[in-house]
Amino acid sequence: MANWIYNASEYTARNFELIPEGDYKVIINNIEEKIFSTGNEGFEITLDVAGFNSKLWYYLVLDPNNTTKTNQRIGMFFDSFAIQDYNLSNYNNWIGKDGAVRVRHNTYNGSLTANVAFCLSRSQQAKLLTHQTNPFDTVPAPVAASPQKVSGGFVF
């Protein structure tokens, strides 16, 4: 049995909202090396999303049976997050980098979830909402004005 004494004063209730479908600026919060259920290696990348108190996960799967698709996904990821060092073993240097993703909804176990469809290129990111908070803060700063959706992104 786990040996832990719960301290309720360290708990803060949070309301995580479903991120609507569209394009969003994100910051890499964390990266973990993984072996996926397919047996392929890769990375589970946690993303903080501009304007939301929710996170997204991006899975960069390295599939040796489909090198073209894998290299395309890696290239899109590197372009989106302006990663110049193409060495996958330096993945800890990616934390804190900003980029953008397209969010799509899927149903998982009867619940609607937001998922990363793909990474957006640097050139596609100009009109997207910029980050309103430090992604490592626990309480988001208020957004000054309501964003308006334009071409899948947001402007003020």
Side-chain angles (χ1 to χ4, degrees), residues 4-46:
W4 188 264
I5 299 172
Y6 172 66
N7 182 348
S9 68
E10 294 179 346
Y11 168 72
T12 303
R14 295 185 181 153
N15 181 14
F16 296 100
E17 58 188 300
L18 180 68
I19 299 167
E21 290 186 325
D23 298 339
Y24 296 94
K25 293 284 280 180
V26 295
I27 290 178
I28 298 173
N29 178 292
N30 191 43
I31 303 169
E32 292 183 29
E33 287 187 82
K34 289 196 69 118
I35 296 178
F36 295 95
S37 60
T38 60
N40 294 329
E41 296 177 347
F43 302 94
E44 179 182 80
I45 302 167
T46 306

Side-chain angles (χ1 to χ4, degrees), residues 11 13 26 34 39 45 63 71 76 90 100 113 127 129 151 153 155:
Y11 168 72
V26 295
K34 289 196 69 118
I45 302 167
D63 183 356
N71 285 317
M76 290 174 71
N90 291 335
T113 62
K127 294 183 180 180
L129 175 70
S151 301
V155 296

Side-chain angles (χ1 to χ4, degrees), residues 19-94:
I19 299 167
E21 290 186 325
D23 298 339
Y24 296 94
K25 293 284 280 180
V26 295
I27 290 178
I28 298 173
N29 178 292
N30 191 43
I31 303 169
E32 292 183 29
E33 287 187 82
K34 289 196 69 118
I35 296 178
F36 295 95
S37 60
T38 60
N40 294 329
E41 296 177 347
F43 302 94
E44 179 182 80
I45 302 167
T46 306
L47 304 170
D48 291 316
V49 184
F52 291 89
N53 190 28
S54 297
K55 297 191 181 307
L56 291 170
W57 284 265
Y58 180 68
Y59 302 97
L60 191 56
V61 180
L62 309 176
D63 183 356
N65 295 319
N66 194 340
T67 59
T68 301
K69 180 179 178 181
T70 300
N71 285 317
Q72 180 65 29
R73 284 180 52 86
I74 292 170
M76 290 174 71
F77 175 78
F78 283 164
D79 179 30
S80 182
F81 291 91
I83 297 170
Q84 303 291 318
D85 175 8
Y86 303 126
N87 185 345
L88 293 176
S89 64
N90 291 335
Y91 65 88
N92 282 320
N93 294 333
W94 306 345

Side-chain angles (χ1 to χ4, degrees), residues 122-136:
R122 284 312 256 195
S123 63
Q124 294 174 299
Q125 298 177 28
K127 294 183 180 180
L128 299 180
L129 175 70
T130 58
H131 279 277
Q132 302 298 314
T133 66
N134 176 335
F136 300 103

